[in-house]
Structures are given as structure tokens and as C-alpha cells.
Amino acid sequence: MSVQFNVEKVRHDFPILTRQVHGKPLVYFDNAASVQRPLAVIEATDDFYRMHNANVHRGVHLLSQEATDLYEAARRGLTRFINAPSEREVIFTRGTTESINLVAQSFLRPRIGPGDEILITHMEHHSNIVPWQMLCEQTGASLKVAPINQRGELELDALENMLSERVKLLGIVHVSNALGTVNPIEKVVQMAKRFDIPVLVDGAQAMPHQQVDVQALGCDFYALSGHKMYGPTGIGALWAREQILEDMPPWQGGGEMITKVTFNETIYNELPAKFEAGTPNIAGGVGLGAAIEYLTGLGMDAISVHEATILEAATAKLSAVDGLRIIGTAAHKAGVISFTLGDIHPHDLGTVIDHHGVALRTGHHCAMPVMQFFKVPATARVSFGLYNTLEEVDILIDALEQSREMFS
Amino acid sequence: MNTENKPGSIDDLAQLYRKIILRHSSNPVGFQKLIKETCRHELFNPLCGDRIVIMLQLEGQIIEDAAFDGESCAICRASASLLCEQVPAGGIEEFTHTQQWLERALTSSEETDGPPALQALLGVRKYPSRIKCVTLPWTAAASALSQ
């Protein structure tokens, strides 16, 4: 059953979209950096602080119970949303970056040494590069990088040839934040499983654009961020198989993650609390729960169809702009178009476009190796959310034409 | 938060990209110019990935010539170009004085004195995220001199 998606109605759910920027209506095309929040999320966090605020898992008083219920309801919601088998497998973190660092330090560090390899791809965000580089420095392992082609697609044959018993983890982005490429995760996981290589997927950019099913993907770790999927900043999650999490030592020590503490020994708490030391971002979790309810209400499939329409139209219109070069032309893309315009530096373009009310990102998008591959210092990037419209694409094109005249 | 009177009127934009800035950006002074360099320094702007290299020819306390290289935005290029145009034949002390003035002038509208030729760079005042684009070449030159 297809769900009717009414973008004009949806836009009313986002208070910030009524804002003017430099006297022009806001056109928000920086969704890959952080999306805007619907009223449901804003109200859920507001309501939490007004009515239910207390610490979780600690008090016998009513507010503490309510706070715990709301926080754990969010975990249940996320568990269902990504089709995880159990709530015990969903660890709340600050976001994708923290999730990846957790896997690097708790899962991989005890299992890796000199001669071992960590395999990533050339299109990774810095958050899926640097934690592994740090681990390599700590352990003497080496970092290997699977290549991409000129369209910004993963070279699957090359990746397959790089797999071996030496590879102790494969880290791969689901949707590239710099190029928009959607990677064939199921296929890559199948390849990796021939060598029993655990696969970590950076799902930050995939979550807002498509229904993610961690069991169908077949990966071992899935990292995500709340603020990319219409939830608050400072909250995210790591999903991992229960057996893997059971075998991993805690990452950070403190309150919440213990069952019993004496000066001689500490008995760690059960999953998922074992990995959630300290007071968590409770309101953030509640907000993320509200975001998931909101997305479920709209239907991820309907959102995907709407965004694909915007992406297709924007790709066609941008391609027709004189001197515009799209960086990343993969056959399967989601939500992102990176580009350069003639000799105009993206930074200058971003400032001028901003005067038209259009927010886009300029720079290296925390993916400097991607920029090096395409031999550009930076790109301009438009990235789409569920509230963007075809009319907004026209405003962008008009702004680009005017910018080009200004710098000609 | 007060969202009125924010930077970014069309006048502000015109101040930022004055003709002189665009001229220096498209026909920069000292870009990839071969000089008898005695010191150089490379700097990156982590925000945007821009790279600038400043090369100086120092004779005693006098900066005889200056050149630059790298990939950067129009503002940064114009700033480097103005540096290469204005600095040569001056002393190190004079350079340091100018650099410090520029740093102050970019963040305070009360700083009005300073070299007339560099006033064009002050259009960036209303764009805090772009101030580093102006300062990068000057910081690189200062680092080159301190080696």
C-alpha cells in the first residue's frame, strides 16, 4: 500500500521553515549536516523537561519511573524501527562517531595486533577513518582502503580481492555524506562473511532516507545519529548482535553500567546498560523516540519516493547549469548532490547563495580523502530532507545563476 | 536570539566582494611567482580545506619580495594578493604591525586606521565564518618570518 505524501502539509510540522533568512524564505538544503526538527520532537523534549524530568534507572519516585519509561520506550521504538531482534542490542550513544569509537576500542582493540588489517572504503566520513587510524597506532595493525571509481561507486571486485583472514573488521558507509552513493551493503557483507570478517556500517546518512533493517543487511554493527533523522543532537545509537556485545568488555566505567562495586571487584550490568556509563542524554533519547514515531507515521517508503523525486529533478536541473560539475554520479544515490561551479570557490558560492535564503554546505564534508580523489579542495553540497520541494530546487538554480554572473 | 540586523544585506555582500577583491582574486599579485625565497610557510583552513603557502624573500630585516601558492576562496586569494602587493620593501616590524592591526580590525569596527589598500578586506567583518579566509595568508607569513 502506498502512503500519500503531502509535502505542503508536512512542512507545517517544521516551525523553522517559516523563518526568513536575509529577508528571503529559508530553503534548507543542508540536511546531510543536520536536519530540522518537527514540532513532535521539539514538544516531546519540552514536555519531558516540564513534566517528567528525573534521572533514569535510579529512583523509586514517580518522576524517575516516568523518565525511565520514556527513555526505554524510545529504545523499544528504535529497536522496532531498525528491526533489531532485541532491545538488549541497542546501545544509546552520543551519535555515530561515539558508536564507531566504542566498537574500535571495546570490540576490536583486544582482537587485533601487528600484521592484522582494518578495511574501510575511500568514501568514508572522517568518523569512520580516524578511530581506526588511532587503533592502528595503538596496536600496530594497518588500515587498508578499498577504492572507488570516477562515479563515486565502490569498486566491488577490488574490495573482494582485499578480503583475507588478516582483515579483522570491515567498516563501510551505507550512504556517503559527500557523494550520496548508496553502497550495496548486503553484497559486501556476503563477501566479508566468507572470511568471517565482522562488518560495521556507518548508517548516519542512510537512516533519514530509507527503511533500514539491520537483520536483512546482515552486518554486525550499525551506527546511527539522532540529529540526521529528525531527532535531537547528542543522541545516537549502536546496534550490534547480542553475543558480540556480551563478549565485549565495557568501554567506559561509571554509574549505571554496574551491578555491584567493591574496591576489589566490579560486576558489570547487563546489556544494554553495560555500555551506558553515567547519566545519559535522557531528553535526547525521548526526542529521538518522538522522531521515530513521526517518521513511522509518514512512512519511510513514502519519504524515500518523495526524496528520490527531488533528487532526480535537482540532478537534471543542476546538470543544465553552465559550468556546473556534479561530483558523485553513482547509479544508486540518496539525498545528496555535491558539485562545483566553474572556478567559483564553494566557500564564496555558499556565502552568496546564503543571501538568497538557501542554506547549503561548502567544504570537504568531513571526507577529505573523497575531495583528494576527485582533485578538488572542496565542493558545494545540497542535501535533501523530507520537507524539501521542487520549487525550492528552482530557487537554488536561480541563486546559482546569479552567483555565476557575480563572479564572471 | 535577536535575528534582526544580522550580517548579510545585499550591501554587506557588495562590501565583502568589492570590485577590488574580485580583481585581486582573478588576477592575483604574486601567485606562483618565482622569487628568491628565503622562507615559506603552508597553512590549512580546516573548515573548508583551503591551503595557502606564503613565500618570502628576506634580506636582513627587509621583506624584499613575497609570493603565494595554494587553493583557496576569492577572499583568501585576494588577501594573499594584497599581502604580496603591499608587504615588499617593508620591514619585518612594519609587517608585524600591519598583521596585528588587521587581526584587530577584522573583529572590531572601532579600528579604523591602517593601510588604505587593506581597507577592502574589512568587508568580511560581518561574516565571522569568513574572517579566517582573510587572516590565513597573514598568519602564514608571520609563521614564515618566525622560522
Side-chain angles (χ1 to χ4, degrees):
Chain A
M1 189 185 77
S2 71
V3 183
Q4 199 64 36
F5 191 84
N6 181 340
V7 70
E8 285 310 321
K9 185 165 169 286
V10 163
R11 288 178 67 82
H12 290 300
D13 297 336
F14 291 82
I16 205 167
L17 297 181
T18 59
R19 233 203 99 165
Q20 301 256 311
V21 171
H22 305 313
K24 308 271 174 53
L26 168 66
V27 174
Y28 191 76
F29 279 154
D30 195 17
N31 295 288
S34 196
V35 292
Q36 299 300 343
R37 319 293 185 253
L39 202 53
V41 170
I42 298 167
E43 284 178 345
T45 47
D46 182 82
D47 181 63
F48 174 76
Y49 282 126
R50 285 177 190 274
M51 297 301 295
H52 312 289
N53 181 53
N55 212 329
V56 288
H57 304 132
R58 282 160 176 78
V60 293
H61 59 83
L62 182 66
L63 290 191
S64 177
Q65 190 56 53
E66 287 178 2
T68 304
D69 290 348
L70 285 165
Y71 191 61
E72 290 306 320
R75 194 192 309 274
R76 271 197 303 284
L78 181 56
T79 304
R80 275 197 303 273
F81 193 60
I82 59 173
N83 194 30
S86 160
E87 290 157 43
R88 292 162 57 83
E89 299 184 348
V90 176
I91 314 293
F92 278 133
T93 63
R94 280 194 296 132
T96 303
T97 299
E98 189 173 69
S99 298
I100 295 173
N101 277 277
L102 194 167
V103 175
Q105 293 301 319
S106 175
F107 172 75
L108 199 52
R109 191 170 181 174
R111 291 170 169 78
I112 201 165
D116 291 334
E117 294 172 357
I118 300 165
L119 181 59
I120 58 172
T121 83
H122 204 117
M123 68 174 91
E124 299 307 312
H125 186 282
H126 295 165
S127 64
N128 205 19
I129 301 173
V130 184
W132 309 120
Q133 278 177 332
M134 290 165 66
L135 187 60
C136 287
E137 277 174 28
Q138 289 159 349
T139 62
S142 24
L143 187 67
K144 302 286 176 183
V145 182
I148 55 175
N149 63 26
Q150 286 298 324
R151 292 186 300 277
E153 296 164 325
L154 196 55
E155 293 275 23
L156 282 174
D157 291 346
L159 181 138
E160 192 165 24
N161 288 333
M162 295 174 85
L163 298 171
S164 74
E165 272 86 17
R166 289 189 304 278
V167 179
K168 299 302 175 200
L169 185 127
L170 169 61
I172 179 169
V173 71
H174 196 167
V175 175
S176 158
N177 77 308
L179 301 168
T181 308
V182 182
N183 279 319
I185 299 297
E186 292 94 331
K187 211 170 186 176
V188 170
V189 168
Q190 279 173 14
M191 290 177 182
K193 288 301 154 193
R194 279 177 225 143
F195 294 91
D196 286 329
I197 300 166
V199 179
L200 174 139
V201 179
D202 167 359
Q205 214 57 248
M207 289 300 293
H209 300 303
Q210 63 187 76
Q211 189 74 58
V212 168
D213 180 335
V214 292
Q215 295 190 67
L217 290 175
C219 58
D220 302 282
F221 302 95
Y222 199 90
L224 59 93
S225 293
H227 74 105
K228 309 275 195 202
M229 51 187 285
Y230 304 93
T233 53
I235 186 82
L238 170 71
W239 168 80
R241 297 177 190 286
E242 186 165 345
Q243 193 52 53
I244 294 175
L245 290 170
E246 289 286 6
D247 292 344
M248 284 161 58
W251 184 37
Q252 294 175 329
E256 180 78 24
M257 51 75 74
I258 53 88
T259 300
K260 183 188 174 197
V261 176
T262 68
F263 285 119
N264 292 326
E265 66 161 356
T266 290
I267 299 169
Y268 303 131
N269 205 338
E270 294 189 352
L271 291 173
K274 181 173 128 182
F275 292 102
E276 295 182 2
T279 296
N281 179 358
I282 307 167
V286 172
L288 178 57
I292 288 165
E293 270 183 42
Y294 179 77
L295 290 173
T296 307
L298 292 179
M300 286 311 296
D301 291 343
I303 291 170
S304 295
V305 170
H306 171 70
E307 289 182 350
T309 309
I310 303 287
L311 180 67
E312 192 183 344
T315 302
K317 287 187 174 179
L318 283 168
S319 302
V321 173
D322 196 21
L324 191 140
R325 173 191 172 202
I326 292 180
I327 309 283
T329 50
H332 191 191
K333 282 180 68 171
V336 169
I337 305 174
S338 260
F339 63 91
T340 57
L341 181 57
D343 292 333
I344 307 174
H345 190 281
H347 226 153
D348 297 313
L349 193 60
T351 295
V352 177
I353 294 278
D354 181 49
H355 281 263
H356 293 266
V358 181
L360 51 73
R361 172 85 183 264
T362 58
H364 50 64
H365 318 296
C366 295
M368 286 173 110
V370 173
M371 301 297 120
Q372 289 149 13
F373 178 82
F374 287 100
K375 296 186 171 56
V376 289
T379 69
R381 179 188 73 186
V382 288
S383 51
F384 308 113
L386 58 88
Y387 37 67
N388 288 127
T389 66
L390 294 171
E391 291 74 24
E392 289 181 313
V393 173
D394 291 335
I395 294 172
L396 166 73
I397 300 295
D398 188 45
L400 287 172
E401 295 286 7
Q402 289 190 39
S403 306
R404 210 180 36 158
E405 278 169 31
M406 184 175 163
F407 287 102
S408 63
Chain B
M1 183 182 168
N2 177 19
T3 53
E4 298 303 314
N5 201 21
K6 278 268 140 193
S9 72
I10 287 300
D11 285 348
D12 291 336
L13 192 64
Q15 285 295 308
L16 180 65
Y17 291 108
R18 285 181 221 196
K19 283 210 172 70
I20 183 166
I21 295 290
L22 293 176
R23 201 165 58 237
H24 270 279
S25 166
S26 49
N27 290 301
V29 178
F31 181 63
Q32 296 183 333
K33 180 183 162 190
L34 285 173
I35 61 168
K36 293 176 187 165
E37 66 171 86
T38 54
C39 56
R40 65 158 60 200
H41 194 77
E42 180 182 51
L43 274 185
F44 292 86
N45 183 350
L47 181 68
C48 55
D50 280 2
R51 180 182 73 99
I52 201 98
V53 191
I54 295 289
M55 294 149 279
L56 301 173
Q57 180 189 340
L58 206 57
E59 284 174 22
Q61 291 297 302
I62 303 296
I63 302 168
E64 287 293 342
D65 212 347
F68 78 102
D69 201 354
E71 305 78 35
S72 60
C73 66
I75 306 293
C76 186
R77 244 168 111 85
S79 179
S81 172
L82 280 160
L83 184 152
C84 293
E85 181 189 80
Q86 295 295 312
V87 163
I92 292 177
E93 201 173 321
E94 194 183 334
F95 167 82
T96 305
H97 184 75
T98 305
Q99 191 224 347
Q100 288 171 351
W101 165 80
L102 187 62
E103 295 264 354
R104 282 195 311 275
L106 287 169
T107 49
S108 162
S109 55
E110 285 160 21
E111 262 325 310
T112 48
D113 292 341
L118 300 184
Q119 299 295 320
L121 292 171
L122 302 186
V124 82
R125 269 179 187 154
K126 292 210 167 178
Y127 299 83
S129 66
R130 304 296 304 273
I131 285 176
K132 196 159 188 186
C133 307
V134 175
T135 57
L136 204 66
W138 296 82
T139 312
S143 297
L145 287 171
S146 69
Q147 286 161 6

